[in-house]
Amino acid sequence: MLSKFADLARTNPFHSPVIRTDAAARGERSLSAASGSSDQCSCEYGSAKYFALCGFGGVLSCGVTHTAVVPLDLVKCRVQVDPAKYKNTFRGFRITFAEDGARGLAKGWAPTFIGYSMQGLCKFGFYEVFKSVYSNMLGEEKTYLYRTGLYLAASASAEFFADIALAPMEAVKVRIQTKPGWANTLREGVPKIWNSEGLGGFYKGLPPLWLRQIPYTMMKFACFERTVEALYKYVVPKPRAECSKSEQLVVTFAAGYIAGVFCAVVSHPADTVVSKLNSAKGSTAVQAAKELGMAGLWKGLAPRIVMIGTLTALQWFIYDTVKITFRLPRPPPPSMPESLKRKQ
């Protein structure tokens, strides 16, 4: 199946790290190479190795970053679930530290690391697969014209599967963090859910997780791709081909942070429902939303903007670093195909 994807990838407009121009066709040197000539890449775009390394980049970018901000995530979840006690972020940190000490702020790190590593594998790996497949279906001209829709469709498709991988660990994580005394470790939490609720307990939060993560990921990828394009076009004073690797990574980080702010706002109400749902046994998403009310759905937004903005920026930074380190093809921002230019 991967070989079939590779054949599709080689024919789509995203595949080449070098965009051909009229000058290149005449044998002149083109300045639109992403990272040098294609023979410097360690693998071919769309190959099994390419998709596997993209998935590995996703494991590192999501698993490491989400685990690093577990204390902030724990406090955010507690503010969402019990606003009467924790009230705000600073009070949440004070109460948690007073009750559980410094170790209490790290509760849920294991399911966070495992769950988000699995999610990152699917999120970034499948995004590259779906982007390649959908681009091939559209053709070169429509890929350029409707590229934002393509980014949205590819990221939504990838996140659908990524959340199935994440849901079991997310259920354990939220309960550890929001139900004091329920369990302190992953090894304690998994049997408790299995014995009391069976397999369904691990996936009870999947529908609201889709509602939270799919819009989040669509914004994350589409906003990032278009922001990178805009930064190189309007802000960076030279083409990407003339930027050093470190300069390219600075652009990646900036675009990632901008995308992260939008991600946090779009997905926050569903995130609050997920936290409430996993902490209240027998509750449904609709019941949780009604209990929270409109104001309650937006509790914890400020720390989530900080957390998600930083997370998203670091995730794109790590992902792009993995691509550079393993010398993967990194196509430049899209440019209008010559066939479309001739039609204008």
Side-chain angles (χ1 to χ4, degrees), residues 289-304:
K290 286 182 177 179
E291 184 178 342
L292 289 163
M294 183 57 67
L297 288 173
W298 294 100
K299 282 283 185 180
L301 178 60
R304 191 159 189 267

Side-chain angles (χ1 to χ4, degrees), residues 216 219-220 223-224 253-268 298 301-302 304-313:
Y216 164 87
M219 183 66 73
K220 173 179 179 176
C223 186
F224 172 80
F253 185 88
Y257 207 101
I258 293 170
V261 172
F262 287 101
C263 289
V265 174
V266 166
S267 61
H268 189 73
W298 294 100
L301 178 60
R304 191 159 189 267
I305 286 177
V306 175
M307 183 182 78
I308 296 300
T310 306
L311 270 179
T312 307

Side-chain angles (χ1 to χ4, degrees), residues 7 132 172 271 297:
D7 292 338
S132 176
V172 178
D271 178 68
L297 288 173

